[in-house]
Amino acid sequence: MQRSFQRVLNKDLAIAATGLRKSYGAHLVLDGVDLAVTQGTVYALLGPNGAGKTTIVQILSTLIKADAGQIRVAGHDLARDPDAVRAAIGVTGQFSAVDDLLTGEENLRLMADLLHVGRPRRRRTVEALLERFDLAAVARKPVATYSGGLRRRLDLAMTMVGAPRLIFLDEPTTGLDPRSRRELWRTVRDLVENDGVTVFLTTQYLEEADRLADRAALLSQGRLVAEGTPDELKRLIPGGHIAVRFADDAELTVQIADGGVVEALRVALGRLNAFDAEVAGLTVHTPDLDDVFLALTASSSR
């Protein structure tokens, strides 16, 4: 997946990286990773535990240095101007960086003070973010009383105090219940679609990438083994089947051929009709990102 860095720079990108490498002693974590993330999109980085996802986030957000590679983040050379990169980005890690003893409003004011936001603007910013992230009703309650979903929304609101154009979300919905996870997904899509923010997301939830990502990449053993839209990734592997359940509870599974779901379904229904089969139910399964994840990570580890 090597590409010319000059070619990458010609694109309208929030992140451009080529040949990204990182080792800890003899352990190679990243082995020549290339990234190209278009502005105003959600880019999901998928991979098993230990694949190097968090290491990439730490490098791109200036927390650690790469051993090799050319990197531009938010239009700035990471090696030459890390301060400009920090001013343009926001980071939400795997664990909420909020103070349980403070209220939600106090947490936001504290972040505004740390970013040297002037007092008049601070008040407007805090009020706007409380409304934007649906936190106004609990703004003056201690964060210790918040649910997991409220804490993550507050964490993301704190990231937005500095109005970053690029946000790194490192497994942001880990531990959340399904409803809280979907509420956070809506918030993220709103930031992208209405504010033009770019989101670089790492996740182990394949459904999360499917729902949120404009493009996704699969990281395995320090290398990107696949990249594309979620639909493009699903087409990388064969598979899929139609399961037919008959009135007598017997079940028949028909593999979906390369012609696709519609053609396979038409053929299956035609043959069943020819034999006057009493069909009680029918389900169609096509490859999803879970299938892609399992197939490609297994093949890359051989």
Side-chain angles (χ1 to χ4, degrees), residues 49-152:
N49 285 332
K53 302 187 301 296
T54 296
T55 299
I56 287 179
V57 169
Q58 291 175 333
I59 290 172
L60 297 178
S61 59
T62 77
L63 295 176
I64 62 175
K65 291 184 177 180
D67 296 335
Q70 294 177 287
I71 310 165
R72 290 183 71 86
V73 176
H76 305 286
D77 187 293
L78 188 67
R80 295 179 182 177
D81 202 356
D83 288 341
V85 171
R86 294 185 191 109
I89 68 172
V91 181
T92 299
Q94 295 182 23
F95 305 100
S96 297
V98 295
D99 191 321
D100 284 350
L101 300 180
L102 300 179
T103 67
E105 184 177 11
E106 289 168 342
N107 269 279
L108 287 169
R109 285 208 306 264
L110 175 61
M111 180 59 70
D113 289 341
L114 291 172
L115 294 174
H116 306 292
V117 177
R119 184 160 294 184
R121 181 175 160 233
R122 182 187 72 176
R123 187 185 70 254
R124 294 193 301 270
T125 298
V126 169
E127 290 176 353
L129 288 171
L130 288 170
E131 290 292 334
R132 175 74 180 274
F133 288 87
D134 198 20
L135 294 165
V138 296
R140 297 187 178 180
K141 293 182 179 180
V143 172
T145 66
Y146 285 18
S147 66
L150 285 175
R151 292 170 65 89
R152 293 309 276 173

Side-chain angles (χ1 to χ4, degrees), residues 44-264:
L45 185 63
L46 311 172
N49 285 332
K53 302 187 301 296
T54 296
T55 299
I56 287 179
V57 169
Q58 291 175 333
I59 290 172
L60 297 178
S61 59
T62 77
L63 295 176
I64 62 175
K65 291 184 177 180
D67 296 335
Q70 294 177 287
I71 310 165
R72 290 183 71 86
V73 176
H76 305 286
D77 187 293
L78 188 67
R80 295 179 182 177
D81 202 356
D83 288 341
V85 171
R86 294 185 191 109
I89 68 172
V91 181
T92 299
Q94 295 182 23
F95 305 100
S96 297
V98 295
D99 191 321
D100 284 350
L101 300 180
L102 300 179
T103 67
E105 184 177 11
E106 289 168 342
N107 269 279
L108 287 169
R109 285 208 306 264
L110 175 61
M111 180 59 70
D113 289 341
L114 291 172
L115 294 174
H116 306 292
V117 177
R119 184 160 294 184
R121 181 175 160 233
R122 182 187 72 176
R123 187 185 70 254
R124 294 193 301 270
T125 298
V126 169
E127 290 176 353
L129 288 171
L130 288 170
E131 290 292 334
R132 175 74 180 274
F133 288 87
D134 198 20
L135 294 165
V138 296
R140 297 187 178 180
K141 293 182 179 180
V143 172
T145 66
Y146 285 18
S147 66
L150 285 175
R151 292 170 65 89
R152 293 309 276 173
R153 291 215 303 272
L154 176 60
D155 201 18
L156 190 52
M158 291 173 66
T159 301
M160 291 301 297
V161 169
R165 304 311 300 163
L166 169 62
I167 299 176
F168 293 96
L169 299 181
D170 191 12
E171 301 192 18
T173 60
T174 298
L176 294 188
D177 62 81
R179 177 175 295 177
S180 297
R181 187 176 298 135
R182 282 169 173 76
E183 288 174 352
L184 193 64
W185 292 348
R186 285 195 294 270
T187 300
V188 171
R189 284 309 316 181
D190 180 66
L191 290 172
V192 174
E193 293 168 5
N194 295 326
D195 292 20
V197 172
T198 305
V199 173
F200 186 93
L201 168 75
T202 72
T203 183
Q204 293 187 53
Y205 293 113
L206 284 304
E207 182 190 6
E208 187 160 88
D210 213 354
R211 289 286 195 92
L212 283 179
D214 298 292
R215 292 187 68 81
L218 184 58
L219 186 69
S220 181
Q221 297 189 323
R223 288 179 173 271
L224 291 188
V225 295
E227 184 183 28
T229 67
D231 284 341
E232 287 171 344
L233 291 178
K234 292 172 195 175
R235 290 196 292 268
L236 289 178
I237 63 171
H241 63 267
I242 299 168
V244 181
R245 184 167 54 84
F246 298 97
D248 60 359
D249 282 339
E251 187 169 293
L252 171 69
T253 298
V254 180
Q255 292 299 315
I256 298 175
D258 293 339
V261 175
V262 174
E263 178 61 18

